[in-house]
Amino acid sequence: MRLFRIAPALLTIPVVLSGCMGQGEKTPDAAEVTEAAKPVIQLNAITMGNPPASGMDSFYKQLDELTIRDFGATVRFDFIPWDEEKSNIGMAIASKKYDFYVGGPWSDFKSFAAKNAFVDLTPLLGEVPALVEHYKGMLEQMKIDGKLYGIPQLNVPGAGREGMFYREDLRKKWQLPEIKDFSAMEQYLYKAKEEFPDTPMIIDKRYSDNLWLALTGDKYYSVAEFAVAPINDPYKVISMFDTQEYKQMAAKAKEWYDAGIVDHDILGAQENETTKTLALMKENKKPLEFNNHFGAISNSYISALKAAYPEQEYGWMDYQFDMFPNSLFLPNTSANTTTQISIGSNSLHPDIALKILEKAHTDQTYYNLLVYGVEGENYKLQGGRISYDGIKEENKKQAWTGVIDGYMNVPVRYPQEWQTIVDKLTVTKGPKLAEKNGVDPYQNFLFDTSSLFDELSSLETVQEQYIQPLNLGISKDIDSDLATLKQKLKEAGIDRYMKELQEQLDQIAR
């Protein structure tokens, strides 16, 4: 996909001076004429997903009315498909053509921040007091070495993070147990593969993250890349590759790979294959999505699948809420975990860009337009809820990535069986459980890797060449491959990496 920047707008607000002005009308003075004739600046943004098939003209018309009135500016978006986000965000940042970037742990955000790709917003916060007030101190938690490089997505307490999405009607038809644990989940995977023999059930290489979580969520916290800590001793880190559980995970991945549950071409897959998975489910060729975020399923999958197959039922197995409820904590707003919108260091108008983000998080008119689109074209409002009844799937507008704000969201009307799941996770049981468990042990911890540049580079190579194949089940001899991996990790500097991480954790544990 080619990323480009729309040429800066040279629009002006027209002023007509006439010798036949009506009685009582004031002739504009020179200052008013100069202000009215100022060029309208254009800010350019990237976001994930695909634009709606219709409604963007109306969207820009309404957005321009707001932003020209308030800031003398317009905003234009380029869309990056979700299966191409990582490489294209890097290309976009390198191009220096955008004012707004989106990123998070899924896009190497911290690496780009370390390379001064983004504006430090800290000195500008005095110009956006409403935004600072809205975040109630959470912007401090987003800082890296005292600098704020983005305005984060704002999550509210509740469940509904990573999980498995599946056809509930088929589970009933196949007479399988309710999916609440690993054994039931695996039974469904094998039965699904039996019933859909031509399609691998897992096609996304990120699945190993959730396989690890499903096998070890009651034993370890994931602290940083390559590092875990026991649940009962969260500040004592060990390499995950030194645990017995990692070998068990690699063995399970190999079992699934050999059984055809995992795609045999998975090494060549994109980092994110959700677009392909949804297409297969819409063609009734695949009954599940092994790893995705609950919000993405709710926003992108449900209406599309119910429109195609209104008789089908869907279920959700949440890896934390269902399997390991004690690990569900209040939202951790930090650069380690949170998606955010940054302002490029190349931007000529970072102050205006930040003020637009303030409006996005504090003005409901701005928020609804940026998240849901144009009422009547991209969504409907029924009884105070967002509804997509009568809206073609291709006309739904995906939200500006990173601007989602749980305190600004308008409730969405879902099909009844999915509404029950949404309410349980986000309204009733989920929030109560998160509030009961409180904050996680690493809420205020940010691993400073600035002294580990060489080690990180070498470890990344090991990740690609040795870790990823084992994670995905591509191994002929796990013992031999694991021994080779540990040697390569040692040569790459894993000991120094773990030592530095431990020393930093010791400081917050005191």
Side-chain angles (χ1 to χ4, degrees):
M1 172 179 172
R2 181 168 175 253
L3 295 174
F4 59 92
R5 185 187 191 187
I6 303 171
L10 297 177
L11 304 175
T12 57
I13 302 172
V15 178
V16 178
L17 300 179
S18 171
C20 301
M21 299 184 70
Q23 285 188 341
E25 294 185 23
K26 176 179 177 292
T27 301
D29 59 28
E32 291 173 325
V33 172
T34 299
E35 178 64 25
K38 287 175 62 176
V40 174
I41 65 171
Q42 180 166 302
L43 303 179
N44 298 284
I46 57 173
T47 187
M48 303 297 105
N50 298 293
S54 69
M56 286 302 287
D57 289 343
S58 300
F59 169 77
Y60 283 130
K61 182 176 184 293
Q62 292 188 20
L63 185 62
D64 288 352
E65 288 174 356
L66 295 172
T67 57
I68 291 174
R69 178 197 69 191
D70 294 336
F71 308 109
T74 61
V75 182
R76 292 295 181 267
F77 293 88
D78 282 341
F79 290 78
I80 296 174
W82 267 113
D83 55 357
E84 301 175 12
E85 71 273 14
K86 192 167 183 178
S87 61
N88 279 289
I89 285 176
M91 290 167 56
I93 291 173
S95 75
K96 299 183 178 181
K97 293 180 179 179
Y98 295 87
D99 299 274
F100 297 102
Y101 297 95
V102 295
W106 45 271
S107 69
D108 291 336
F109 169 82
K110 289 199 293 182
S111 297
F112 288 120
K115 297 173 184 175
N116 298 314
F118 312 127
V119 172
D120 173 17
L121 302 176
T122 308
L124 300 177
L125 291 180
E127 300 182 34
V128 286
L131 183 68
V132 174
E133 170 60 25
H134 184 69
Y135 275 86
K136 301 187 183 304
M138 282 180 278
L139 295 180
E140 284 294 319
Q141 297 167 202
M142 293 297 299
K143 289 183 176 180
I144 301 174
D145 295 333
K147 297 180 180 181
L148 179 68
Y149 291 111
I151 301 302
Q153 180 170 305
L154 190 51
N155 301 312
V156 297
R161 292 181 175 83
E162 290 287 318
M164 187 175 87
F165 174 62
Y166 60 92
R167 290 267 306 273
E168 169 69 1
D169 58 310
L170 291 182
R171 182 195 68 78
K172 293 175 181 177
K173 177 182 176 182
W174 296 337
Q175 298 183 339
L176 295 176
E178 289 190 30
I179 304 178
K180 298 295 182 184
D181 57 28
F182 189 88
S183 174
M185 177 182 71
E186 191 171 38
Q187 287 182 62
Y188 190 96
L189 283 172
Y190 274 93
K191 182 62 176 177
K193 178 58 182 173
E194 178 185 324
E195 296 290 332
F196 295 80
D198 297 329
T199 306
M201 293 300 105
I202 296 174
I203 62 175
D204 190 319
K205 64 178 60 173
R206 300 170 304 165
Y207 90 88
S208 60
D209 293 338
N210 285 332
L211 177 56
W212 169 263
L213 175 60
L215 289 170
T216 68
D218 58 347
K219 299 179 179 69
Y220 297 106
Y221 291 113
S222 291
V223 184
E225 194 168 17
F226 316 122
V228 299
I231 293 291
N232 59 2
D233 194 2
Y235 302 115
K236 184 66 174 178
V237 289
I238 53 178
S239 167
M240 69 182 295
F241 310 106
D242 289 335
T243 67
Q244 183 62 31
E245 288 79 10
Y246 181 77
K247 182 178 177 180
Q248 293 170 359
M249 187 201 80
K252 181 58 67 176
K254 176 174 169 52
E255 178 187 319
W256 287 1
Y257 183 87
D258 292 343
I261 289 173
V262 175
D263 187 357
H264 283 188
D265 294 326
I266 197 165
L267 268 181
Q270 299 283 348
E271 288 291 332
N272 182 338
E273 290 285 13
T274 54
T275 301
K276 183 177 179 181
T277 291
L278 178 55
L280 288 168
M281 294 187 77
K282 287 171 70 174
E283 295 168 6
N284 209 18
K285 294 179 179 179
K286 192 172 186 283
L288 65 92
E289 164 74 296
F290 183 79
N291 52 280
N292 209 330
H293 191 279
F294 183 70
I297 296 294
S298 299
N299 294 333
S300 301
Y301 280 55
I302 291 300
S303 60
L305 292 171
K306 287 299 260 187
Y309 306 103
E311 74 284 358
Q312 292 182 359
E313 292 181 67
Y314 300 95
W316 175 262
M317 208 258 327
D318 198 274
Y319 290 124
Q320 289 186 303
F321 180 85
D322 289 317
M323 296 182 72
F324 308 110
N326 291 335
S327 69
L328 178 66
F329 297 106
L330 293 171
N332 184 341
T333 304
S334 76
N336 281 334
T337 61
T338 311
T339 296
Q340 55 195 301
I341 299 176
S342 300
I343 298 172
S345 56
N346 54 280
S347 177
L348 300 178
H349 307 283
D351 53 337
I352 294 176
L354 185 58
K355 289 176 181 177
I356 289 174
L357 291 179
E358 178 182 43
K359 281 287 189 182
H361 284 279
T362 59
D363 186 307
Q364 199 69 49
T365 300
Y366 270 84
Y367 185 79
N368 286 1
L369 188 59
L370 292 168
V371 172
Y372 309 113
V374 176
E375 185 178 355
E377 291 193 55
N378 305 125
Y379 73 97
K380 295 178 181 178
L381 199 59
Q382 297 179 352
R385 287 178 174 264
I386 299 291
S387 170
Y388 295 103
D389 292 342
I391 301 294
K392 292 182 178 180
E393 182 60 29
E394 63 266 25
N395 290 340
K396 285 183 62 180
K397 181 190 175 296
Q398 297 184 5
W400 183 3
T401 308
V403 85
I404 294 294
D405 188 321
Y407 296 95
M408 300 289 286
N409 280 343
V410 180
V412 176
R413 185 187 301 276
Y414 294 103
Q416 186 53 52
E417 83 267 11
W418 195 254
Q419 188 71 57
T420 299
I421 296 172
V422 169
D423 290 346
K424 177 182 70 173
L425 295 179
T426 66
V427 180
T428 57
K429 296 183 178 180
K432 290 179 181 178
L433 181 58
E435 288 162 1
K436 172 179 172 289
N437 291 340
V439 299
D440 74 52
Y442 313 103
Q443 172 63 50
N444 297 313
F445 176 67
L446 184 64
F447 184 23
D448 179 4
T449 59
S450 58
S451 65
L452 298 169
F453 180 82
D454 291 338
E455 287 81 3
L456 288 175
S457 179
S458 298
L459 289 169
E460 182 64 26
T461 299
V462 175
Q463 165 78 24
E464 294 175 0
Q465 295 181 1
Y466 299 95
I467 298 174
Q468 191 169 85
L470 266 173
N471 284 356
L472 301 180
I474 305 172
S475 173
K476 292 184 178 180
D477 185 332
I478 291 176
D479 287 329
S480 175
D481 290 343
L482 186 54
T484 300
L485 168 59
K486 290 182 178 181
Q487 180 59 37
K488 294 297 181 181
L489 285 168
K490 193 169 189 65
E491 293 170 3
I494 189 70
D495 291 340
R496 183 164 186 271
Y497 176 95
M498 296 300 300
K499 181 174 182 291
E500 181 65 30
L501 175 58
Q502 185 62 66
E503 288 177 352
Q504 292 184 33
L505 281 170
D506 287 344
Q507 294 178 16
I508 69 166
R510 292 189 183 119

